[in-house]
Amino acid sequence: MTGEAALREWTIEALARLRREAARSADTHLLRLEFPGFPGIGFYFKDEAAHPTGSLKHRLARSLYLYAICNGRLRPGQPVVDASSGSTAISEAWFARLLGLRFTAVMPACTAPRKIADVEALGGRCDLVDDPSQVYERAAWHAAQGACHLDQFGLAERATDWRGNNNIAESIIGQLAGEPQPEPAWVVCGAGTGGTSATIGRYLRYRGLHTRLCVADPAGSAFAAGWRARDRGAVARAPTVIEGIGRARVEPGFVFEVVDEVVEVPDAASIAAMRLLEEQIGRRYGGSSGTNLVACLQLAARMRDAGGTGSIVSLLCDPGERYDRTLYDPQWLARAGIDPAPAEAALRRTLASGAWHALA
Ligand SMILES: *Cc1c(COP(=O)(O)O)cnc(C)c1O
């Protein structure tokens, strides 16, 4: 067989493996929650932790491999690399194993240890850099050595089929079809690559819905400042301990135009809300899921003040076990100087009364 013929055969087999994986997987649950302070407002949370690799990055990793393969950028035996704060690396390592490829994740050294262990358990290598802003350059270096760069930050927004193919937005809107308020007032999500918000925002317009899109991001984030000033050069004013979101720069995949609102959430409030989710659902989720809940409650309080009813949809992004030794460890929190107790008290008052209580 010639090289080109062998490449075509490998491409066909790789796509078949990805298709079989999709066929074996089920859609994720859309959980409904009710809070006493918000009669008439339905809260829905899409449980993206239920994917085989534990986060919403399962969808993205599948799309990035498909995009690389169908563009002829990924060849048999070629190593694969990407920059990641962890969740994407876990999903990409899992698909690399499925396809029989070697995978290297370039991650900040401060990434939760559990995520690093998960990548390694899947046969991936971790190349840790001390300064989180170095991950892009380091991944580009691996690509220059011959690796295929999946490039989540550069390609997330275009690798996903935003019109359909059961993307996250199509799945949510389909699952809501029989609910009392099937056209949500708001969808709330975080932004890391910006891929999820771009897909949801585009799909809402495409379907002609009135639903608005809110991005929940850590206080002082680059996305919040950038979105407000329509400035792609904005940078974060403060670091965050919430992984997956709160990027230091405005990533190329973050589409300003499809976002209707950005709510900034202090880290302590995200962590407090993450604990409240555990109480409500009986399972642990990561910090960015808590960030989403805080923004949902802020929007719900505004709806209630205006006498409105409706539904609000958000995402549970990844499982809490990944943060056993960080966000869920009281000693780690104390060392980081974070006390979620005041924010937790404020959020509990909001849940009970429906009135927004400012976060400490
Ligand atoms: C990636 C990620 C997000 C944000 O999603 P994007 O589609 O990359 O914008 C939120 N939470 C977690 C845990 C993530 O890993």
Side-chain angles (χ1 to χ4, degrees), residues 23-322:
R24 289 191 301 269
S25 299
D27 204 349
T28 57
H29 314 295
L30 188 64
L31 307 175
R32 183 184 160 95
L33 297 183
E34 277 167 53
F35 301 119
F38 298 98
I41 300 181
F43 294 85
Y44 296 85
F45 287 89
K46 186 135 177 84
D47 189 359
E48 292 292 290
H51 285 292
T53 60
S55 82
L56 78 179
K57 293 307 192 316
H58 196 77
R59 295 177 192 272
L60 175 61
R62 187 193 281 139
S63 297
L64 289 170
Y65 277 101
L66 281 170
Y67 196 67
I69 293 167
C70 294
N71 277 290
R73 283 202 302 119
L74 180 51
R75 299 176 158 262
Q78 188 180 14
V80 177
V81 69
D82 210 354
S84 171
S85 69
S87 305
T88 305
I90 293 169
S91 300
E92 289 174 340
W94 191 86
F95 280 102
R97 195 178 63 174
L98 185 86
L99 296 170
L101 299 167
R102 275 182 299 139
F103 173 72
T104 299
V106 179
M107 297 198 280
C110 59
T111 302
R114 179 67 184 262
K115 291 194 198 171
I116 296 171
D118 283 353
V119 171
E120 289 171 346
L122 288 162
R125 264 193 56 226
C126 295
D127 182 3
L128 303 177
V129 298
D130 290 329
D131 175 358
S133 72
Q134 287 170 354
V135 292
Y136 313 98
E137 239 176 79
R138 185 73 187 156
W141 178 84
H142 283 279
Q145 310 301 304
C148 173
H149 187 192
L150 292 173
D151 196 10
Q152 62 159 336
F153 290 107
L155 300 176
E157 152 275 314
R158 73 190 89 148
T160 299
D161 296 335
W162 58 269
R163 294 177 192 80
N165 212 352
N166 203 37
N167 69 49
I168 191 166
E170 184 177 47
S171 169
I172 289 169
I173 298 301
Q175 286 176 318
L176 284 170
E179 295 298 304
Q181 295 146 330
E183 182 171 337
W186 287 97
V187 175
V188 176
C189 71
T193 64
T196 303
S197 54
T199 298
I200 294 173
R202 288 165 175 166
Y203 186 79
L204 294 173
R205 280 169 184 72
Y206 180 62
R207 286 292 305 273
L209 302 175
H210 294 92
T211 307
R212 283 178 292 168
L213 174 62
C214 171
V215 162
D217 219 26
S221 76
F223 285 171
W227 179 81
R228 248 182 253 115
R230 293 295 189 274
D231 173 14
R232 300 212 68 91
V235 294
R237 272 189 289 110
T240 177
V241 297
I242 309 300
E243 293 181 23
I245 58 174
R247 306 293 307 167
R249 64 173 205 186
V250 179
E251 300 295 349
F254 185 62
V255 180
F256 289 151
E257 291 76 11
V258 300
V259 175
D260 299 293
E261 171 115 32
V262 176
V263 168
E264 293 183 65
V265 179
D267 283 0
S270 293
I271 294 163
M274 172 189 95
R275 295 179 181 174
L276 294 176
L277 280 172
E278 182 182 2
E279 250 175 54
Q280 295 286 332
I281 301 175
R283 273 194 297 278
R284 285 185 167 184
Y285 295 93
S288 69
S289 305
T291 313
N292 286 344
L293 174 59
V294 175
C296 288
L297 293 175
Q298 203 165 326
L299 295 172
R302 209 193 287 167
M303 274 167 69
R304 181 184 162 278
D305 285 349
T309 57
S311 54
I312 300 180
V313 183
S314 194
L315 312 179
L316 303 166
C317 304
D318 67 351
E321 294 71 49
R322 290 187 179 167

